[in-house]
PDB file of all heavy atoms in Angstrom:
ATOM      1  N   VAL A   1     258.737  30.394  -6.450  1.00 65.00           N
ATOM      2  CA  VAL A   1     259.081  31.816  -6.598  1.00 65.00           C
ATOM      3  C   VAL A   1     259.678  32.014  -7.982  1.00 65.00           C
ATOM      4  O   VAL A   1     260.724  31.436  -8.314  1.00 65.00           O
ATOM      5  CB  VAL A   1     260.093  32.269  -5.520  1.00 65.00           C
ATOM      6  CG1 VAL A   1     260.464  33.741  -5.736  1.00 65.00           C
ATOM      7  CG2 VAL A   1     259.531  32.052  -4.129  1.00 65.00           C
ATOM      8  N   GLY A   2     259.028  32.811  -8.786  1.00 67.00           N
ATOM      9  CA  GLY A   2     259.487  33.033 -10.150  1.00 67.00           C
ATOM     10  C   GLY A   2     260.693  33.950 -10.215  1.00 67.00           C
ATOM     11  O   GLY A   2     260.889  34.814  -9.351  1.00 67.00           O
ATOM     12  N   ILE A   3     261.523  33.797 -11.246  1.00 69.00           N
ATOM     13  CA  ILE A   3     262.718  34.620 -11.395  1.00 69.00           C
ATOM     14  C   ILE A   3     262.368  36.049 -11.795  1.00 69.00           C
ATOM     15  O   ILE A   3     262.950  37.009 -11.276  1.00 69.00           O
ATOM     16  CB  ILE A   3     263.669  33.987 -12.445  1.00 69.00           C
ATOM     17  CG1 ILE A   3     264.265  32.694 -11.878  1.00 69.00           C
ATOM     18  CG2 ILE A   3     264.780  34.957 -12.828  1.00 69.00           C
ATOM     19  CD1 ILE A   3     265.154  31.951 -12.846  1.00 69.00           C
ATOM     20  N   LEU A   4     261.408  36.219 -12.689  1.00 75.00           N
ATOM     21  CA  LEU A   4     261.073  37.573 -13.145  1.00 75.00           C
ATOM     22  C   LEU A   4     260.527  38.466 -12.012  1.00 75.00           C
ATOM     23  O   LEU A   4     260.913  39.623 -11.923  1.00 75.00           O
ATOM     24  CB  LEU A   4     260.089  37.502 -14.316  1.00 75.00           C
ATOM     25  CG  LEU A   4     260.682  37.027 -15.639  1.00 75.00           C
ATOM     26  CD1 LEU A   4     259.627  37.012 -16.735  1.00 75.00           C
ATOM     27  CD2 LEU A   4     261.859  37.916 -16.066  1.00 75.00           C
ATOM     28  N   PRO A   5     259.616  37.957 -11.158  1.00 76.00           N
ATOM     29  CA  PRO A   5     259.224  38.789 -10.013  1.00 76.00           C
ATOM     30  C   PRO A   5     260.417  39.163  -9.122  1.00 76.00           C
ATOM     31  O   PRO A   5     260.484  40.291  -8.615  1.00 76.00           O
ATOM     32  CB  PRO A   5     258.220  37.896  -9.254  1.00 76.00           C
ATOM     33  CG  PRO A   5     257.636  37.033 -10.314  1.00 76.00           C
ATOM     34  CD  PRO A   5     258.765  36.746 -11.252  1.00 76.00           C
ATOM     35  N   ALA A   6     261.379  38.243  -8.941  1.00 76.00           N
ATOM     36  CA  ALA A   6     262.564  38.541  -8.136  1.00 76.00           C
ATOM     37  C   ALA A   6     263.412  39.622  -8.788  1.00 76.00           C
ATOM     38  O   ALA A   6     263.913  40.540  -8.116  1.00 76.00           O
ATOM     39  CB  ALA A   6     263.395  37.275  -7.933  1.00 76.00           C
ATOM     40  N   ILE A   7     263.558  39.541 -10.120  1.00 79.00           N
ATOM     41  CA  ILE A   7     264.306  40.568 -10.843  1.00 79.00           C
ATOM     42  C   ILE A   7     263.601  41.927 -10.713  1.00 79.00           C
ATOM     43  O   ILE A   7     264.243  42.971 -10.560  1.00 79.00           O
ATOM     44  CB  ILE A   7     264.466  40.178 -12.318  1.00 79.00           C
ATOM     45  CG1 ILE A   7     265.403  38.952 -12.425  1.00 79.00           C
ATOM     46  CG2 ILE A   7     265.027  41.340 -13.131  1.00 79.00           C
ATOM     47  CD1 ILE A   7     265.507  38.384 -13.832  1.00 79.00           C
ATOM     48  N   THR A   8     262.279  41.885 -10.737  1.00 82.00           N
ATOM     49  CA  THR A   8     261.507  43.128 -10.565  1.00 82.00           C
ATOM     50  C   THR A   8     261.783  43.747  -9.202  1.00 82.00           C
ATOM     51  O   THR A   8     261.922  44.971  -9.082  1.00 82.00           O
ATOM     52  CB  THR A   8     259.999  42.837 -10.718  1.00 82.00           C
ATOM     53  OG1 THR A   8     259.750  42.251 -11.984  1.00 82.00           O
ATOM     54  CG2 THR A   8     259.186  44.118 -10.578  1.00 82.00           C
ATOM     55  N   VAL A   9     261.877  42.887  -8.184  1.00 79.00           N
ATOM     56  CA  VAL A   9     262.202  43.384  -6.842  1.00 79.00           C
ATOM     57  C   VAL A   9     263.560  44.087  -6.859  1.00 79.00           C
ATOM     58  O   VAL A   9     263.729  45.170  -6.295  1.00 79.00           O
ATOM     59  CB  VAL A   9     262.210  42.223  -5.822  1.00 79.00           C
ATOM     60  CG1 VAL A   9     262.734  42.704  -4.475  1.00 79.00           C
ATOM     61  CG2 VAL A   9     260.815  41.642  -5.660  1.00 79.00           C
ATOM     62  N   PHE A  10     264.557  43.474  -7.508  1.00 80.00           N
ATOM     63  CA  PHE A  10     265.883  44.082  -7.617  1.00 80.00           C
ATOM     64  C   PHE A  10     265.803  45.462  -8.249  1.00 80.00           C
ATOM     65  O   PHE A  10     266.409  46.423  -7.769  1.00 80.00           O
ATOM     66  CB  PHE A  10     266.812  43.176  -8.445  1.00 80.00           C
ATOM     67  CG  PHE A  10     267.637  42.240  -7.635  1.00 80.00           C
ATOM     68  CD1 PHE A  10     267.068  41.166  -6.977  1.00 80.00           C
ATOM     69  CD2 PHE A  10     269.006  42.441  -7.499  1.00 80.00           C
ATOM     70  CE1 PHE A  10     267.830  40.299  -6.230  1.00 80.00           C
ATOM     71  CE2 PHE A  10     269.784  41.583  -6.744  1.00 80.00           C
ATOM     72  CZ  PHE A  10     269.199  40.496  -6.110  1.00 80.00           C
ATOM     73  N   VAL A  11     265.067  45.557  -9.330  1.00 82.00           N
ATOM     74  CA  VAL A  11     264.951  46.829 -10.048  1.00 82.00           C
ATOM     75  C   VAL A  11     264.304  47.882  -9.149  1.00 82.00           C
ATOM     76  O   VAL A  11     264.772  49.022  -9.073  1.00 82.00           O
ATOM     77  CB  VAL A  11     264.128  46.647 -11.339  1.00 82.00           C
ATOM     78  CG1 VAL A  11     263.830  47.999 -11.978  1.00 82.00           C
ATOM     79  CG2 VAL A  11     264.879  45.749 -12.319  1.00 82.00           C
ATOM     80  N   VAL A  12     263.241  47.497  -8.442  1.00 84.00           N
ATOM     81  CA  VAL A  12     262.548  48.443  -7.562  1.00 84.00           C
ATOM     82  C   VAL A  12     263.481  48.908  -6.435  1.00 84.00           C
ATOM     83  O   VAL A  12     263.531  50.102  -6.109  1.00 84.00           O
ATOM     84  CB  VAL A  12     261.275  47.802  -6.965  1.00 84.00           C
ATOM     85  CG1 VAL A  12     260.671  48.707  -5.892  1.00 84.00           C
ATOM     86  CG2 VAL A  12     260.250  47.550  -8.065  1.00 84.00           C
ATOM     87  N   ILE A  13     264.217  47.978  -5.858  1.00 80.00           N
ATOM     88  CA  ILE A  13     265.118  48.325  -4.756  1.00 80.00           C
ATOM     89  C   ILE A  13     266.201  49.301  -5.234  1.00 80.00           C
ATOM     90  O   ILE A  13     266.517  50.287  -4.549  1.00 80.00           O
ATOM     91  CB  ILE A  13     265.769  47.063  -4.157  1.00 80.00           C
ATOM     92  CG1 ILE A  13     264.708  46.246  -3.414  1.00 80.00           C
ATOM     93  CG2 ILE A  13     266.907  47.425  -3.200  1.00 80.00           C
ATOM     94  CD1 ILE A  13     265.174  44.890  -2.957  1.00 80.00           C
ATOM     95  N   ILE A  14     266.779  49.033  -6.398  1.00 81.00           N
ATOM     96  CA  ILE A  14     267.801  49.927  -6.943  1.00 81.00           C
ATOM     97  C   ILE A  14     267.211  51.309  -7.220  1.00 81.00           C
ATOM     98  O   ILE A  14     267.836  52.346  -6.945  1.00 81.00           O
ATOM     99  CB  ILE A  14     268.420  49.339  -8.226  1.00 81.00           C
ATOM    100  CG1 ILE A  14     269.170  48.046  -7.905  1.00 81.00           C
ATOM    101  CG2 ILE A  14     269.362  50.343  -8.879  1.00 81.00           C
ATOM    102  CD1 ILE A  14     270.256  48.187  -6.867  1.00 81.00           C
ATOM    103  N   LEU A  15     265.998  51.347  -7.764  1.00 84.00           N
ATOM    104  CA  LEU A  15     265.341  52.638  -8.021  1.00 84.00           C
ATOM    105  C   LEU A  15     265.055  53.376  -6.720  1.00 84.00           C
ATOM    106  O   LEU A  15     265.219  54.600  -6.633  1.00 84.00           O
ATOM    107  CB  LEU A  15     264.052  52.421  -8.819  1.00 84.00           C
ATOM    108  CG  LEU A  15     264.216  51.972 -10.268  1.00 84.00           C
ATOM    109  CD1 LEU A  15     262.863  51.699 -10.907  1.00 84.00           C
ATOM    110  CD2 LEU A  15     264.985  53.021 -11.080  1.00 84.00           C
ATOM    111  N   MET A  16     264.616  52.634  -5.700  1.00 83.00           N
ATOM    112  CA  MET A  16     264.381  53.244  -4.384  1.00 83.00           C
ATOM    113  C   MET A  16     265.695  53.785  -3.808  1.00 83.00           C
ATOM    114  O   MET A  16     265.738  54.857  -3.198  1.00 83.00           O
ATOM    115  CB  MET A  16     263.761  52.233  -3.427  1.00 83.00           C
ATOM    116  CG  MET A  16     262.336  51.841  -3.748  1.00 83.00           C
ATOM    117  SD  MET A  16     261.160  53.196  -3.468  1.00 83.00           S
ATOM    118  CE  MET A  16     261.178  53.313  -1.691  1.00 83.00           C
ATOM    119  N   TYR A  17     266.751  53.022  -3.988  1.00 81.00           N
ATOM    120  CA  TYR A  17     268.081  53.457  -3.526  1.00 81.00           C
ATOM    121  C   TYR A  17     268.480  54.753  -4.199  1.00 81.00           C
ATOM    122  O   TYR A  17     268.925  55.707  -3.545  1.00 81.00           O
ATOM    123  CB  TYR A  17     269.102  52.355  -3.824  1.00 81.00           C
ATOM    124  CG  TYR A  17     270.536  52.794  -3.635  1.00 81.00           C
ATOM    125  CD1 TYR A  17     271.096  52.895  -2.368  1.00 81.00           C
ATOM    126  CD2 TYR A  17     271.341  53.104  -4.738  1.00 81.00           C
ATOM    127  CE1 TYR A  17     272.412  53.300  -2.194  1.00 81.00           C
ATOM    128  CE2 TYR A  17     272.647  53.512  -4.574  1.00 81.00           C
ATOM    129  CZ  TYR A  17     273.179  53.605  -3.305  1.00 81.00           C
ATOM    130  OH  TYR A  17     274.474  54.019  -3.139  1.00 81.00           O
ATOM    131  N   ARG A  18     268.309  54.815  -5.514  1.00 83.00           N
ATOM    132  CA  ARG A  18     268.644  56.022  -6.256  1.00 83.00           C
ATOM    133  C   ARG A  18     267.791  57.204  -5.809  1.00 83.00           C
ATOM    134  O   ARG A  18     268.287  58.326  -5.652  1.00 83.00           O
ATOM    135  CB  ARG A  18     268.448  55.779  -7.766  1.00 83.00           C
ATOM    136  CG  ARG A  18     269.404  54.759  -8.377  1.00 83.00           C
ATOM    137  CD  ARG A  18     270.800  55.290  -8.442  1.00 83.00           C
ATOM    138  NE  ARG A  18     271.693  54.402  -9.177  1.00 83.00           N
ATOM    139  CZ  ARG A  18     272.985  54.623  -9.335  1.00 83.00           C
ATOM    140  NH1 ARG A  18     273.540  55.692  -8.798  1.00 83.00           N
ATOM    141  NH2 ARG A  18     273.734  53.763 -10.016  1.00 83.00           N
ATOM    142  N   LEU A  19     266.505  56.951  -5.606  1.00 87.00           N
ATOM    143  CA  LEU A  19     265.584  58.015  -5.206  1.00 87.00           C
ATOM    144  C   LEU A  19     265.949  58.567  -3.838  1.00 87.00           C
ATOM    145  O   LEU A  19     266.032  59.787  -3.638  1.00 87.00           O
ATOM    146  CB  LEU A  19     264.151  57.485  -5.197  1.00 87.00           C
ATOM    147  CG  LEU A  19     263.070  58.451  -4.670  1.00 87.00           C
ATOM    148  CD1 LEU A  19     263.003  59.694  -5.546  1.00 87.00           C
ATOM    149  CD2 LEU A  19     261.720  57.749  -4.582  1.00 87.00           C
ATOM    150  N   ILE A  20     266.169  57.668  -2.882  1.00 83.00           N
ATOM    151  CA  ILE A  20     266.473  58.111  -1.516  1.00 83.00           C
ATOM    152  C   ILE A  20     267.826  58.803  -1.461  1.00 83.00           C
ATOM    153  O   ILE A  20     268.003  59.798  -0.748  1.00 83.00           O
ATOM    154  CB  ILE A  20     266.401  56.910  -0.548  1.00 83.00           C
ATOM    155  CG1 ILE A  20     264.952  56.454  -0.404  1.00 83.00           C
ATOM    156  CG2 ILE A  20     266.982  57.274   0.819  1.00 83.00           C
ATOM    157  CD1 ILE A  20     264.749  55.237   0.449  1.00 83.00           C
ATOM    158  N   THR A  21     268.808  58.295  -2.212  1.00 82.00           N
ATOM    159  CA  THR A  21     270.116  58.952  -2.266  1.00 82.00           C
ATOM    160  C   THR A  21     269.988  60.359  -2.824  1.00 82.00           C
ATOM    161  O   THR A  21     270.602  61.317  -2.322  1.00 82.00           O
ATOM    162  CB  THR A  21     271.088  58.134  -3.142  1.00 82.00           C
ATOM    163  OG1 THR A  21     271.223  56.816  -2.593  1.00 82.00           O
ATOM    164  CG2 THR A  21     272.461  58.785  -3.174  1.00 82.00           C
ATOM    165  N   TRP A  22     269.176  60.505  -3.875  1.00 87.00           N
ATOM    166  CA  TRP A  22     268.952  61.833  -4.469  1.00 87.00           C
ATOM    167  C   TRP A  22     268.260  62.764  -3.473  1.00 87.00           C
ATOM    168  O   TRP A  22     268.645  63.924  -3.325  1.00 87.00           O
ATOM    169  CB  TRP A  22     268.114  61.671  -5.739  1.00 87.00           C
ATOM    170  CG  TRP A  22     267.788  62.982  -6.406  1.00 87.00           C
ATOM    171  CD1 TRP A  22     268.591  63.706  -7.240  1.00 87.00           C
ATOM    172  CD2 TRP A  22     266.565  63.722  -6.275  1.00 87.00           C
ATOM    173  NE1 TRP A  22     267.955  64.846  -7.636  1.00 87.00           N
ATOM    174  CE2 TRP A  22     266.710  64.890  -7.060  1.00 87.00           C
ATOM    175  CE3 TRP A  22     265.378  63.508  -5.573  1.00 87.00           C
ATOM    176  CZ2 TRP A  22     265.705  65.831  -7.162  1.00 87.00           C
ATOM    177  CZ3 TRP A  22     264.383  64.456  -5.679  1.00 87.00           C
ATOM    178  CH2 TRP A  22     264.539  65.598  -6.454  1.00 87.00           C
ATOM    179  N   MET A  23     267.247  62.245  -2.775  1.00 88.00           N
ATOM    180  CA  MET A  23     266.520  63.073  -1.798  1.00 88.00           C
ATOM    181  C   MET A  23     267.434  63.477  -0.643  1.00 88.00           C
ATOM    182  O   MET A  23     267.363  64.610  -0.151  1.00 88.00           O
ATOM    183  CB  MET A  23     265.307  62.298  -1.264  1.00 88.00           C
ATOM    184  CG  MET A  23     264.218  62.091  -2.299  1.00 88.00           C
ATOM    185  SD  MET A  23     262.875  61.032  -1.708  1.00 88.00           S
ATOM    186  CE  MET A  23     262.197  62.045  -0.395  1.00 88.00           C
ATOM    187  N   ALA A  24     268.310  62.566  -0.224  1.00 83.00           N
ATOM    188  CA  ALA A  24     269.237  62.864   0.870  1.00 83.00           C
ATOM    189  C   ALA A  24     270.224  63.957   0.456  1.00 83.00           C
ATOM    190  O   ALA A  24     270.617  64.799   1.269  1.00 83.00           O
ATOM    191  CB  ALA A  24     269.975  61.606   1.296  1.00 83.00           C
ATOM    192  N   ALA A  25     270.631  63.930  -0.809  1.00 85.00           N
ATOM    193  CA  ALA A  25     271.564  64.941  -1.314  1.00 85.00           C
ATOM    194  C   ALA A  25     270.889  66.316  -1.401  1.00 85.00           C
ATOM    195  O   ALA A  25     271.555  67.341  -1.276  1.00 85.00           O
ATOM    196  CB  ALA A  25     272.099  64.528  -2.674  1.00 85.00           C
ATOM    197  N   LYS A  26     269.570  66.313  -1.606  1.00 88.00           N
ATOM    198  CA  LYS A  26     268.835  67.571  -1.761  1.00 88.00           C
ATOM    199  C   LYS A  26     268.383  68.159  -0.432  1.00 88.00           C
ATOM    200  O   LYS A  26     268.179  69.357  -0.313  1.00 88.00           O
ATOM    201  CB  LYS A  26     267.618  67.347  -2.654  1.00 88.00           C
ATOM    202  CG  LYS A  26     267.946  66.988  -4.100  1.00 88.00           C
ATOM    203  CD  LYS A  26     268.617  68.136  -4.818  1.00 88.00           C
ATOM    204  CE  LYS A  26     268.885  67.792  -6.282  1.00 88.00           C
ATOM    205  NZ  LYS A  26     269.535  68.922  -7.003  1.00 88.00           N
ATOM    206  N   SER A  27     268.195  67.296   0.568  1.00 88.00           N
ATOM    207  CA  SER A  27     267.641  67.771   1.844  1.00 88.00           C
ATOM    208  C   SER A  27     268.479  67.270   3.016  1.00 88.00           C
ATOM    209  O   SER A  27     268.603  66.058   3.232  1.00 88.00           O
ATOM    210  CB  SER A  27     266.197  67.280   2.000  1.00 88.00           C
ATOM    211  OG  SER A  27     265.712  67.530   3.321  1.00 88.00           O
ATOM    212  N   LYS A  28     269.052  68.191   3.775  1.00 86.00           N
ATOM    213  CA  LYS A  28     269.853  67.830   4.938  1.00 86.00           C
ATOM    214  C   LYS A  28     268.990  67.168   6.005  1.00 86.00           C
ATOM    215  O   LYS A  28     269.432  66.217   6.670  1.00 86.00           O
ATOM    216  CB  LYS A  28     270.520  69.088   5.519  1.00 86.00           C
ATOM    217  CG  LYS A  28     271.512  68.784   6.626  1.00 86.00           C
ATOM    218  CD  LYS A  28     272.699  67.988   6.113  1.00 86.00           C
ATOM    219  CE  LYS A  28     273.706  67.718   7.227  1.00 86.00           C
ATOM    220  NZ  LYS A  28     274.828  66.874   6.765  1.00 86.00           N
ATOM    221  N   LYS A  29     267.770  67.620   6.171  1.00 86.00           N
ATOM    222  CA  LYS A  29     266.867  67.028   7.165  1.00 86.00           C
ATOM    223  C   LYS A  29     266.545  65.585   6.822  1.00 86.00           C
ATOM    224  O   LYS A  29     266.518  64.712   7.689  1.00 86.00           O
ATOM    225  CB  LYS A  29     265.578  67.850   7.280  1.00 86.00           C
ATOM    226  CG  LYS A  29     265.755  69.195   7.951  1.00 86.00           C
ATOM    227  CD  LYS A  29     264.423  69.912   8.107  1.00 86.00           C
ATOM    228  CE  LYS A  29     264.596  71.230   8.838  1.00 86.00           C
ATOM    229  NZ  LYS A  29     263.285  71.960   8.993  1.00 86.00           N
ATOM    230  N   PHE A  30     266.289  65.336   5.540  1.00 84.00           N
ATOM    231  CA  PHE A  30     265.988  63.972   5.111  1.00 84.00           C
ATOM    232  C   PHE A  30     267.217  63.076   5.285  1.00 84.00           C
ATOM    233  O   PHE A  30     267.100  61.914   5.697  1.00 84.00           O
ATOM    234  CB  PHE A  30     265.530  63.962   3.650  1.00 84.00           C
ATOM    235  CG  PHE A  30     265.074  62.623   3.165  1.00 84.00           C
ATOM    236  CD1 PHE A  30     263.841  62.120   3.538  1.00 84.00           C
ATOM    237  CD2 PHE A  30     265.890  61.848   2.345  1.00 84.00           C
ATOM    238  CE1 PHE A  30     263.418  60.868   3.112  1.00 84.00           C
ATOM    239  CE2 PHE A  30     265.486  60.606   1.905  1.00 84.00           C
ATOM    240  CZ  PHE A  30     264.239  60.110   2.293  1.00 84.00           C
ATOM    241  N   GLU A  31     268.392  63.605   4.973  1.00 80.00           N
ATOM    242  CA  GLU A  31     269.632  62.837   5.145  1.00 80.00           C
ATOM    243  C   GLU A  31     269.839  62.467   6.613  1.00 80.00           C
ATOM    244  O   GLU A  31     270.210  61.335   6.929  1.00 80.00           O
ATOM    245  CB  GLU A  31     270.832  63.651   4.650  1.00 80.00           C
ATOM    246  CG  GLU A  31     272.160  62.909   4.791  1.00 80.00           C
ATOM    247  CD  GLU A  31     273.345  63.773   4.415  1.00 80.00           C
ATOM    248  OE1 GLU A  31     273.187  65.006   4.318  1.00 80.00           O
ATOM    249  OE2 GLU A  31     274.437  63.216   4.227  1.00 80.00           O
ATOM    250  N   THR A  32     269.564  63.411   7.505  1.00 79.00           N
ATOM    251  CA  THR A  32     269.710  63.145   8.936  1.00 79.00           C
ATOM    252  C   THR A  32     268.706  62.090   9.389  1.00 79.00           C
ATOM    253  O   THR A  32     269.031  61.215  10.202  1.00 79.00           O
ATOM    254  CB  THR A  32     269.492  64.436   9.745  1.00 79.00           C
ATOM    255  OG1 THR A  32     270.478  65.397   9.353  1.00 79.00           O
ATOM    256  CG2 THR A  32     269.613  64.177  11.245  1.00 79.00           C
ATOM    257  N   PHE A  33     267.488  62.131   8.855  1.00 80.00           N
ATOM    258  CA  PHE A  33     266.475  61.138   9.215  1.00 80.00           C
ATOM    259  C   PHE A  33     266.895  59.743   8.778  1.00 80.00           C
ATOM    260  O   PHE A  33     266.748  58.770   9.511  1.00 80.00           O
ATOM    261  CB  PHE A  33     265.129  61.503   8.575  1.00 80.00           C
ATOM    262  CG  PHE A  33     264.087  60.432   8.754  1.00 80.00           C
ATOM    263  CD1 PHE A  33     263.457  60.264   9.976  1.00 80.00           C
ATOM    264  CD2 PHE A  33     263.747  59.600   7.698  1.00 80.00           C
ATOM    265  CE1 PHE A  33     262.503  59.266  10.148  1.00 80.00           C
ATOM    266  CE2 PHE A  33     262.794  58.599   7.863  1.00 80.00           C
ATOM    267  CZ  PHE A  33     262.169  58.439   9.089  1.00 80.00           C
ATOM    268  N   ILE A  34     267.429  59.640   7.556  1.00 75.00           N
ATOM    269  CA  ILE A  34     267.819  58.345   7.012  1.00 75.00           C
ATOM    270  C   ILE A  34     269.089  57.810   7.658  1.00 75.00           C
ATOM    271  O   ILE A  34     269.151  56.660   8.093  1.00 75.00           O
ATOM    272  CB  ILE A  34     268.009  58.429   5.484  1.00 75.00           C
ATOM    273  CG1 ILE A  34     266.669  58.714   4.795  1.00 75.00           C
ATOM    274  CG2 ILE A  34     268.606  57.140   4.935  1.00 75.00           C
ATOM    275  CD1 ILE A  34     265.636  57.628   4.964  1.00 75.00           C
ATOM    276  N   GLU A  35     270.123  58.631   7.711  1.00 74.00           N
ATOM    277  CA  GLU A  35     271.435  58.174   8.170  1.00 74.00           C
ATOM    278  C   GLU A  35     271.672  58.420   9.660  1.00 74.00           C
ATOM    279  O   GLU A  35     272.564  57.821  10.248  1.00 74.00           O
ATOM    280  CB  GLU A  35     272.531  58.879   7.365  1.00 74.00           C
ATOM    281  CG  GLU A  35     272.520  58.571   5.872  1.00 74.00           C
ATOM    282  CD  GLU A  35     273.033  57.181   5.559  1.00 74.00           C
ATOM    283  OE1 GLU A  35     273.463  56.464   6.499  1.00 74.00           O
ATOM    284  OE2 GLU A  35     272.999  56.802   4.378  1.00 74.00           O
TER     285      GLU A  35
END
């Protein structure tokens, strides 16, 4: 397992986290679905 692909996974996960957090803040329905 290479280190760079693993780092890429970290970056994608953080970006997904930021995206979903932003979407949850914008939409109450989406926040309820997630949380």
Side-chain angles (χ1 to χ4, degrees):
V1 178
I3 290 177
L4 287 181
I7 292 174
T8 303
V9 172
F10 266 71
V11 172
V12 172
I13 291 172
I14 295 303
L15 290 176
M16 290 291 290
Y17 169 78
R18 294 290 187 183
L19 174 62
I20 291 176
T21 301
W22 178 81
M23 291 174 65
K26 294 294 183 179
S27 170
K28 187 65 179 177
K29 289 184 178 179
F30 186 75
E31 180 185 15
T32 299
F33 173 76
I34 293 297
E35 297 286 357

